[in-house]
């Protein structure tokens, strides 16, 4: 079993839909949780950053972390065709340094 | 430029050839990471530098893979005697290691290696 599990999809939704993306993890040492967005043939770019448990909202995006269940989510409201990309969850153990462990990524397509 | 720069963007190598991939991180970023991303997969960690020190190379898949960052800025990932299974996108990332988003990695666009 990998440390971080993520359903690769693909996920196809109509424009305006609410999108829910999820990851589960096994290592309780993870404390930093991130969501990256990756467009085709581009590098990943940070979308949301959360430390420990709780919710964080930024515009149409909400990230949730439930450490007791080892489960993280990203919600996208009023989805747009420009949101079509692969969404990667990533996490890191405590401390400012060290590598991120990524999920496999979920490919999202938002149809106009 | 302001972002992480990688070259070449695309590289085709014959099996058995050596390749070198270059990464120019964001100025002032102390940490530099190399990741390997196979088709349809998430990035897999290869190695990590803090300045010129290679602190973690546990992700390098074999002794054919070698990375260096001699002056603490530009880094090179070298793959010797390339094999078909080395075909992937090699991503370089750098981070500042301080500030509100500690640990945020800034990625380059990657070097896509195809081994024939």
């Amino acid at each position: 079993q990998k440390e971080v599990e993520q359903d690769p999809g693909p996920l196809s939704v109509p424009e305006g839909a609410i999108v829910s993306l999820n990851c589960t993890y096994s290592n309780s040492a993870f404390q930093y949780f991130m969501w990256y967005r990756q467009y085709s043939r581009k590098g990943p770019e940070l979308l949301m950053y959360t430390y420990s448990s709780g919710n964080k909202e930024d515009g149409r995006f909400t990230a949730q972390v439930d450490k007791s269940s080892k489960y993280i989510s990203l919600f996208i409201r009023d989805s747009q065709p420009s949101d079509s990309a692969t969404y990667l969850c990533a996490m890191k153990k405590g401390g400012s340094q060290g590598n991120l462990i990524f999920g496999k990524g979920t490919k999202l397509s938002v149809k106009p | 430029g302001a972002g992480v720069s990688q070259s070449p963007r695309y590289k085709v190598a014959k099996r058995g050839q050596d390749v070198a991939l270059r990464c120019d991180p964001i100025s002032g970023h102390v940490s530099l990471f190399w990741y390997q991303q196979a088709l349809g997969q998430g990035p897999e960690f290869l190695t990590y530098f803090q300045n010129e020190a290679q602190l973690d190379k546990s992700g390098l898949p074999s002794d054919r893979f070698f990375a260096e960052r001699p002056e603490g800025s530009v880094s090179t990932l070298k793959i010797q005697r390339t094999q078909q299974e080395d075909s992937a996108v090699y991503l370089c990332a750098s981070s500042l290691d301080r500030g509100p988003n500690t640990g945020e990695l800034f990625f380059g666009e990657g070097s896509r290696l195809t081994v024939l």
Side-chain angles (χ1 to χ4, degrees), chain A residues 2 32 34 36 38 41-44 46 49 56 88 92 95-105, chain B residues 9-10 33 35 37 40-45 48 50 91 97 100-105 107-109 112:
Chain A
K2 300 197 78 171
Y32 297 88
M34 301 169 211
Y36 279 79
Q38 186 174 27
R41 296 185 178 269
K42 298 290 186 182
L46 184 69
Y49 179 104
K56 186 171 185 179
L88 298 154
K92 190 167 77 72
S96 63
Q97 301 157 5
N99 60 296
L100 291 179
I101 307 297
F102 283 86
K104 189 180 275 194
Chain B
R9 287 292 317 278
Y10 301 92
F33 300 79
Y35 283 81
Q37 188 173 26
Q41 302 294 316
E44 296 273 349
F45 171 75
Y48 156 55
Q50 187 178 68
L91 293 165
D97 293 343
N101 283 0
T102 295
E104 175 186 358
L105 299 189
F107 282 88
E109 296 203 321
R112 183 177 296 270

Side-chain angles (χ1 to χ4, degrees), chain B residues 34-53:
Chain B
W34 283 99
Y35 283 81
Q36 181 191 60
Q37 188 173 26
L39 189 65
Q41 302 294 316
E44 296 273 349
F45 171 75
L46 293 177
T47 187
Y48 156 55
F49 290 86
Q50 187 178 68
N51 295 306
E52 68 278 5

